Amino acid sequence: MKKKFKIFLIILAVAAVAAGAVTAAVTSVRASDESQFEYITENGEATIKSITPLGRIVKIPETLGGCPVAAINAWVINDGFDCVISRLYIPSTVKSIDAEAFCNGFELRRFEVDKENEYYATDKKGVLFSKDMTELVQYPLGAFRKLYEIPAGTKGINDFAFYQATYISKVIVPEGVTYIGVDAFCNAHKMNEIVLPDSIESVGRQSISHAFNSEELPANLKEIGDSTFAEYEGTDLVIPDGVVSIGSGAFRYCQFLETVTIPASVEAIGEDAFYGCEFLTRYIVHPDNKNYSSDDFGVLYNKDKTEIIRVPQALTEFCYPETMTHIGQEFVEHERILRISVPGSITSMDECAFYASRLEIIEFYDTKMGTTKLEEISDGAFAKCDCLTEVRIPQGVKVIGEKAFAQCDNVQVIELSDTVEEIEDGAFLKCGKVNEITIPENVNEIGENAVGYFYSVPVEKEHNRGKIEGFKIYGAENSAAEAYAEANGFEFIAA
């Protein structure tokens, strides 16, 4: 019995020694062990390029290669599968830390900074701050807490401060903070609430897009970065007076947004600032704004209404103002627009201006002259407008561009004015419900497959197009219309 008990004690002792050895290997590393640091030296100072940790607690030494460690570069942590940093000690010598230094420190629980460091410090929770505690530099991404209340006295939140934070779900930002840096809360996937004070003036790119739940923006806001408030959940957005710039995609994919009120102070609105807001019905611009304006349709313009900046995605009816001379691509693939009126002031349009929109009616008018100044319907202008049932080309138009009305599957009537001179290739290709057309005598050029064709099923080898069965062409004798009919095997009827 004593022999067995002695053997059992020996086994326990060996196990204890082994366990102690493993614990020591995992939880601590000698400050003098330089093998885990890749660094460069320049002008008598060392900069850490990467850390390949030998344990969960890493202490950056004050010197590497005989030089004081002064800086830490971006993305320095090279975590292995079984070897990650949970605590990082920063010595007194460090003067500069890149904003992205610890973006891959997913298991970091806390920072510790030497009290003699003149540039950095930590709060009681191990969060890295500037020495004077006015700037939050880096939150430890792997800290086991759901709520963090930033200390009073903080004035700014650094770029990438909470980037990819693992467990945090709510952050309370105190009054007095004036700026939030780029990507500050980006990819913190469990973050679902950020409480912002009215003191905030600037919010950087993609910083709080998924976690801002209040319907009211901070009252003192002056700059809104790219994608900052993406997926904002309010219905009636009022941009605070004092905001100067709104970044690209700043309010993209706001699925509940219906109206946007823009104050006089706004000077710049980025591209696609309100992209994907499918229920947005109206922009309302303060009349004193010197750069932008809006109309009764809720469309956003430049100040003098010569250019459209953005049309609401829920807009169903629109009349271009007579201050405009050119139509852009503002309605490409617009899913709600049903009716468009084009005034006589319009002289040109972009290719594919209304491509694949839901247009049902397009009207051309001129209250003064009874004709349009638009001489050419551009290439692909109304292509794939499946809801169009009638095409009536107004007086003044001379050219119908290539595939201008191609694949308008439900068009049943095509009327051409006698000012039309040229119908380009595939202009009315696949308008399969049209079985006849009258081509004016002034038309002197008709392109390949301009009228009377659709994509055949099965697809024919020649041109991959087939004829509309029984298609008739009406026109003058010895005209381009008669020549086209003869060349393509269509019935021609002199009219």
Side-chain angles (χ1 to χ4, degrees):
M1 185 67 179
K2 289 183 178 179
K3 187 175 182 181
K4 289 183 179 179
F5 182 71
K6 189 174 182 179
I7 292 171
F8 179 69
L9 287 177
I10 292 171
I11 291 171
L12 282 178
V14 171
V17 171
V22 170
T23 302
V26 171
T27 61
S28 65
V29 170
R30 296 189 308 275
S32 60
D33 192 340
E34 295 188 5
S35 64
Q36 59 191 327
F37 303 104
E38 180 184 354
Y39 61 92
I40 58 173
T41 58
E42 187 176 3
N43 298 325
E45 295 181 331
T47 297
I48 294 177
K49 295 178 63 179
S50 68
I51 303 172
T52 304
L54 300 178
R56 296 186 66 83
I57 299 176
V58 172
K59 185 176 183 180
I60 298 174
E62 291 198 350
T63 62
L64 287 170
C67 297
V69 175
I72 302 174
N73 276 358
W75 298 82
V76 294
I77 299 175
N78 294 325
D79 282 348
F81 181 74
D82 294 318
C83 186
V84 291
I85 300 175
S86 63
R87 184 176 297 186
L88 183 67
Y89 174 84
I90 298 171
S92 62
T93 54
V94 171
K95 298 184 289 186
S96 172
I97 300 175
D98 191 280
E100 297 178 77
F102 308 111
C103 283
N104 54 347
F106 303 118
E107 295 296 324
L108 265 174
R109 308 281 192 264
R110 67 184 296 119
F111 293 95
E112 292 184 9
V113 179
D114 191 293
K115 292 180 180 180
E116 299 301 318
N117 191 295
E118 297 179 1
Y119 300 90
Y120 298 99
T122 59
D123 68 0
K124 294 179 180 180
K125 298 184 183 297
V127 178
L128 186 63
F129 279 80
S130 60
K131 183 65 174 181
D132 59 4
M133 299 297 289
T134 60
E135 182 177 60
L136 193 159
V137 176
Q138 179 68 58
Y139 179 84
L141 304 183
F144 287 129
R145 69 176 65 91
K146 293 183 178 180
L147 168 66
Y148 178 62
E149 188 168 353
I150 296 174
T154 304
K155 295 181 179 179
I157 299 173
N158 200 30
D159 297 350
F160 305 98
F162 291 81
Y163 181 79
Q164 301 191 117
T166 308
Y167 304 105
I168 190 78
S169 60
K170 180 178 180 179
V171 172
I172 299 174
V173 181
E175 190 67 37
V177 171
T178 59
Y179 65 92
I180 297 176
V182 170
D183 289 333
F185 296 91
C186 185
N187 289 349
H189 295 300
K190 292 187 178 180
M191 183 87 67
N192 54 41
E193 186 177 1
I194 300 172
V195 180
L196 297 183
D198 283 338
S199 58
I200 293 289
E201 297 180 1
S202 174
V203 184
R205 182 195 69 225
Q206 295 189 153
S207 53
I208 58 172
S209 61
H210 61 296
F212 180 74
N213 300 325
S214 174
E215 289 203 14
E216 294 186 5
L217 303 187
N220 290 315
L221 202 58
K222 291 181 173 59
E223 296 180 8
I224 300 174
D226 296 350
S227 302
T228 295
F229 292 101
E231 301 178 30
Y232 164 83
E233 295 184 354
T235 56
D236 299 299
L237 172 64
V238 179
I239 306 294
D241 190 20
V243 169
V244 175
S245 62
I246 301 171
S248 177
F251 294 91
R252 59 185 171 86
Y253 298 118
C254 298
Q255 297 300 312
F256 304 101
L257 192 58
E258 295 178 5
T259 64
V260 176
T261 300
I262 299 171
S265 58
V266 171
E267 298 176 2
I269 299 176
E271 184 179 0
D272 294 331
F274 301 93
Y275 180 82
C277 301
E278 58 182 289
F279 295 106
L280 182 59
T281 61
R282 182 173 297 276
Y283 295 98
I284 304 167
V285 180
H286 194 284
D288 291 338
N289 190 294
K290 296 180 180 180
N291 302 281
Y292 299 100
S293 62
S294 57
D295 63 7
D296 291 340
F297 293 99
V299 172
L300 179 64
Y301 300 87
N302 62 352
K303 182 60 178 178
D304 56 7
K305 290 187 174 66
T306 58
E307 179 184 352
I308 290 176
I309 305 300
R310 191 77 184 173
V311 297
Q313 288 186 244
L315 186 67
T316 59
E317 183 175 342
F318 178 61
C319 177
Y320 282 90
E322 294 192 357
T323 51
M324 289 186 63
T325 60
H326 179 79
I327 294 175
Q329 294 185 329
E330 48 271 358
F331 285 100
V332 169
E333 297 182 336
H334 197 288
E335 296 182 354
R336 303 289 182 84
I337 193 67
L338 303 176
R339 187 185 191 111
I340 288 286
S341 296
V342 180
S345 61
I346 298 296
T347 59
S348 61
M349 62 170 59
D350 280 355
E351 292 184 2
C352 302
F354 299 93
Y355 176 84
S357 68
R358 302 293 291 171
L359 264 179
E360 294 179 359
I361 299 172
I362 176 76
E363 297 175 323
F364 295 86
Y365 72 94
D366 189 321
T367 56
K368 296 179 181 179
M369 301 176 61
T371 184
T372 179
K373 296 177 183 176
L374 181 67
E375 295 188 352
E376 180 176 354
I377 306 294
S378 63
D379 294 351
F382 298 94
K384 282 195 171 184
C385 290
D386 294 337
C387 296
L388 273 179
T389 57
E390 297 181 355
V391 174
R392 302 182 190 277
I393 305 299
Q395 291 289 323
V397 172
K398 295 180 180 180
V399 178
I400 301 174
E402 184 175 340
K403 296 183 180 178
F405 294 90
Q407 295 182 262
C408 293
D409 296 336
N410 290 300
V411 167
Q412 300 177 35
V413 176
I414 298 174
E415 290 185 4
L416 307 180
S417 68
D418 57 18
T419 59
V420 174
E421 298 174 359
E422 182 179 345
I423 305 172
E424 294 188 350
D425 295 354
F428 296 97
L429 179 66
K430 204 186 176 184
C431 294
K433 294 185 178 180
V434 177
N435 53 30
E436 63 181 35
I437 189 171
T438 298
I439 298 179
E441 188 173 1
N442 282 342
V443 174
N444 52 50
E445 185 175 342
I446 303 175
E448 182 180 358
N449 308 116
V451 296
Y453 281 87
F454 63 95
Y455 292 106
S456 64
V457 182
V459 176
E460 294 181 0
K461 293 182 180 179
E462 185 177 1
H463 306 305
N464 293 333
R465 300 178 176 93
K467 297 177 184 177
I468 297 174
E469 186 176 354
F471 190 80
K472 300 179 180 66
I473 295 178
Y474 293 81
E477 293 181 347
N478 300 318
S479 64
E482 183 176 12
Y484 179 86
E486 182 178 345
N488 291 274
F490 294 122
E491 180 181 355
F492 177 76
I493 300 171

